Amino acid sequence: VKLDPQQFEGPAGRVQWSAVNHTGLHSEAFEIKRQGSKECKAVIRLQLGCGPEKHQLSDALAAVVGAPQESKTRAVKAVWAYIKANSLQTDANPLVVECDEKLRALFKESK
């Protein structure tokens, strides 16, 4: 929350709230109180912190995906994107992949 900087200077004009990790269903709330009765402009910015859980990737998978951490779904999508971008699918059967050096390190197979 950022309060009007002309009325509230420095740290008094900012409130930062961080969510707490919970297990199971939960809800969170916050309340903002200020001193005085003078009208004040405030900007409230909310960012959802939910999304798929990211996992630490092996060095071989990170080399293909391009990131050291990623969700399972995005890692699989990135591997398929890598395969398609490098034209590694065979013409006879697109489910068969000719592994290049990075994919051989990942899958320990040539196909």
Side-chain angles (χ1 to χ4, degrees):
V1 177
K2 182 178 175 185
L3 300 176
D4 187 348
Q6 293 178 354
Q7 293 177 337
F8 299 92
E9 294 182 29
R14 289 186 180 264
V15 177
Q16 192 166 3
W17 168 74
S18 296
V20 178
N21 289 333
H22 295 281
T23 57
L25 296 174
H26 69 278
S27 62
E28 297 187 43
F30 63 92
E31 181 178 2
I32 301 169
K33 293 182 179 183
R34 62 179 181 83
Q35 295 179 341
S37 60
K38 188 175 179 183
E39 198 172 297
C40 174
K41 292 182 183 179
V43 175
I44 300 173
R45 183 175 157 211
L46 300 176
Q47 252 180 308
L48 294 177
C50 60
E53 181 181 359
K54 291 190 175 185
H55 303 277
Q56 186 67 37
L57 304 181
S58 68
D59 292 341
L61 182 55
V64 174
V65 171
Q69 296 181 339
E70 195 53 86
S71 70
K72 290 177 183 179
T73 302
R74 288 188 179 178
V76 170
K77 284 182 179 182
V79 170
W80 274 109
Y82 177 87
I83 291 167
K84 290 176 183 178
N86 290 288
S87 303
L88 298 175
Q89 292 172 291
T90 61
D91 292 331
N93 184 353
L95 296 179
V96 176
V97 175
E98 293 285 345
C99 293
D100 65 359
E101 186 178 328
K102 287 184 179 181
L103 291 181
R104 276 193 298 277
L106 178 62
F107 296 119
K108 311 286 192 255
E109 298 284 340
S110 61
K111 287 187 180 186

